[in-house]
């Protein structure tokens, strides 16, 4: 019996969120905080899911008949998590022409990050479960993983679109391919931005009350109300992203910080910045941060801070924590999704 383990890093958006939904480029990177998924095929056609630490869910094990969801889950985020897992299995089986309800899976999902704060947990779960299912059914081989990363990323993107209604390829492509990426959603493609230095960055989050889907919808309403102004904001974000790519390559932190602050203001204009993040941005900039920006869909959730050097970075980490926000990482990550197989016989 095969047991497949998938380790998928989460991600942070550096520049270009929301505009990327409308075809503009974005920059995102994986971070060194992973979601671990493991799974095996089982005899009964049910999906048994064990959720370990990190997720706001009361039941730790849920058994779902393939044609009937028998659990009563009233928590929105828990339902959301199951939605990604079940859709990932469906998308995998459809891609492989596996007849519906013919297979059963036992899946364990483990995360130290909560879902829905803008750090790509849903993308990591989508990419992780779909690749686990493909491997269990011999749809991909570990020896060919490098050639198959784009195929996995596209399937994971499909899962996010089905569950959320609307999603860019940014999160799913970044977590699958890994590292610092320039995302061009219309192709779709996520090319690596190769840098050989560490960015003095802080990645943190505060509580978020709205889902990504709700925030995308809110921005869409704005578009319907003031079309031309909205287009100008998106064009400006697109220009910021292109300038940020150049600044990253040139290791120009001053410009990078300035661009983060301008991108943050554009997110404010789109109504995606919470009062808590306004306060954080103001305080951290006064304390020496070069740039502070809401990251991801907004309404609270993830944010990034750029320090001028590592000493100031350490001081700013303490300040972020003193203000009640959580620090997730003080570095970006180079890797993407990793798979291993164990023979449990
Ligand atoms: O908050 P997150 O990680 O779900 O990020 C969403 C980023 C958006 O650009 C708003 C949506 C997307 O699909 O790219």
């Amino acid at each position: 019996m095969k047991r497949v383990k998938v380790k998928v890093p989460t991600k942070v958006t550096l520049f270009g969120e929301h505009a990327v939904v409308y075809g503009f480029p974005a920059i995102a990177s994986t971070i060194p905080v992973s979601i671990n998924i493991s799974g095996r095929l089982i005899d009964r056609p049910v999906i048994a899911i064990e959720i370990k630490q990190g997720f706001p869910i009361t039941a730790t094990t849920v058994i779902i008949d393939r044609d009937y969801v028998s659990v009563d889950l009233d928590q929105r985020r828990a339902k959301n998590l199951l939605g990604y897992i079940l859709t990932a299995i469906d998308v995998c089986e459809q891609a492989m022409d596996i007849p519906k309800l013919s297979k059963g899976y036992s899946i364990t999902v483990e995360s130290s990050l909560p879902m829905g704060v803008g750090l790509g947990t849903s993308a990591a779960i989508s990419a992780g479960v779909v690749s686990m299912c493909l491997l269990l059914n011999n749809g991909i081989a570990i020896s060919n993983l490098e050639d198959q990363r784009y195929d996995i990323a596209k399937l994971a993107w499909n899962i996010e679109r089905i569950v959320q209604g609307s999603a860019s390829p940014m999160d799913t492509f970044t977590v699958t391919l890994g590292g610092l990426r320039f995302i061009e959603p219309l192709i779709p493609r996520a090319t690596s931005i190769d840098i050989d230095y560490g960015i003095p960055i802080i990645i943190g989050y505060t509580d978020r009350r709205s889902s990504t889907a709700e925030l995308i919808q809110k921005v869409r309403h704005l578009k319907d109300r003031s079309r031309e102004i909205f287009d100008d904001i998106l064009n400006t974000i697109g220009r910021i992203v292109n300038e940020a790519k150049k600044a990253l390559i040139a290791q120009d932190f001053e410009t990078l910080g300035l661009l983060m602050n301008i991108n943050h203001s554009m997110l404010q204009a789109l109504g995606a910045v919470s009062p808590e993040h306004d306060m954080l941005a103001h305080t951290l900039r006064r304390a020496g941060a070069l740039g502070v920006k809401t990251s991801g869909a907004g309404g609270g959730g993830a944010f990034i801070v750029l320090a001028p050097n590592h000493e100031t970075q350490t001081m700013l980490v303490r300040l972020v924590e003193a203000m009640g926000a959580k620090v997730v990482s003080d570095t970006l990550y180079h890797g993407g999704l990793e798979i291993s197989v164990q023979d449990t016989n």
Side-chain angles (χ1 to χ4, degrees), residues 6-330:
V6 194
K7 187 174 167 211
V8 199
T10 50
K11 64 90 225 185
V12 66
T13 308
L14 298 178
F15 294 95
E17 52 276 270
H18 284 295
V20 70
V21 175
Y22 297 88
F24 291 87
I27 297 175
S29 172
T30 44
I31 56 174
V33 182
S34 297
I35 297 215
N36 294 310
I37 292 159
S38 82
R40 60 188 169 83
L41 291 174
I42 50 178
D43 294 338
R44 280 191 311 147
V46 299
I47 299 180
I49 302 169
E50 188 183 353
I51 295 139
K52 287 190 177 168
Q53 79 183 68
F55 292 113
I57 184 167
T58 40
T60 51
T61 304
V62 287
I63 308 272
I64 297 163
D65 280 323
R66 297 303 309 268
D67 55 352
Y68 176 64
V69 177
S70 59
V71 281
D72 177 20
L73 290 168
D74 54 2
Q75 295 181 51
R76 177 169 58 81
R77 286 181 180 177
K79 268 190 189 157
N80 221 348
L81 166 66
L82 294 183
Y84 288 103
I85 296 173
L86 300 179
T87 308
I89 297 288
D90 278 350
V91 165
C92 154
E93 292 189 340
Q94 271 166 31
M96 293 193 61
D97 282 330
I98 295 171
K100 220 171 157 54
L101 314 185
S102 66
K103 301 246 175 163
Y105 303 83
S106 168
I107 304 169
T108 305
V109 184
E110 191 178 350
S111 165
S112 56
L113 276 184
M115 281 199 84
V117 292
L119 292 170
T121 45
S122 57
I125 288 165
S126 304
V129 175
V130 83
S131 43
M132 175 213 77
C133 169
L134 289 170
L135 216 140
L136 284 173
N137 292 301
N138 303 318
I140 54 172
I142 287 192
S143 52
N144 283 343
L145 182 61
E146 289 321 310
D147 297 339
Q148 290 164 326
R149 278 188 194 271
Y150 261 98
D151 296 333
I152 296 170
K154 282 182 190 157
L155 290 177
W157 181 25
N158 240 343
I159 296 159
E160 281 214 323
R161 279 186 292 189
I162 294 167
V163 179
Q164 291 172 200
S166 169
S168 80
M170 173 172 68
D171 290 12
T172 42
F173 278 50
T174 302
V175 301
T176 309
L177 302 166
L180 183 60
R181 298 265 160 187
F182 183 76
I183 295 103
E184 295 161 282
L186 296 180
I187 297 180
R189 180 169 67 191
T191 36
S192 176
I193 302 176
D194 296 323
I195 57 168
D196 58 2
Y197 60 90
I199 302 178
I201 197 168
I202 301 164
I203 297 135
Y205 69 90
T206 60
D207 284 347
R208 186 163 104 177
R209 282 168 287 279
S210 312
S211 69
T212 299
E214 285 161 354
L215 289 153
I216 291 178
Q217 197 56 33
K218 185 176 167 190
V219 171
R220 203 175 290 283
H221 279 314
L222 202 73
K223 174 183 167 224
D224 297 337
R225 282 177 51 193
S226 13
R227 190 64 196 244
E228 281 177 18
I229 294 175
F230 183 85
D231 286 347
D232 285 346
I233 296 172
L234 294 198
N235 275 311
T236 304
I237 295 177
R239 284 215 292 279
I240 291 169
V241 172
N242 285 312
E243 290 304 311
K245 184 183 173 190
K246 287 186 215 155
L248 277 165
I249 292 166
Q251 200 176 339
D252 180 351
F253 293 157
E254 291 279 340
T255 304
L256 212 52
L258 181 66
L259 292 168
M260 274 183 190
N261 291 335
I262 303 173
N263 196 160
H264 183 77
S265 306
M266 293 298 124
L267 290 172
Q268 268 167 331
L270 293 177
V273 174
S274 70
E276 290 91 336
H277 280 205
D278 268 337
M279 172 84 90
L280 272 166
H282 182 69
T283 309
L284 296 170
R285 283 176 200 151
R286 285 193 62 171
L290 295 176
V292 183
K293 175 183 160 291
T294 288
S295 167
F303 62 89
I304 50 173
V305 183
L306 182 71
N309 52 50
H310 289 289
E311 293 72 51
T312 312
Q313 183 189 23
T314 309
M315 179 273 290
L316 290 173
V317 165
R318 284 200 217 105
L319 187 53
V320 166
E321 286 171 339
M323 291 180 76
K326 296 250 184 342
V327 172
V328 171
S329 179
D330 59 5

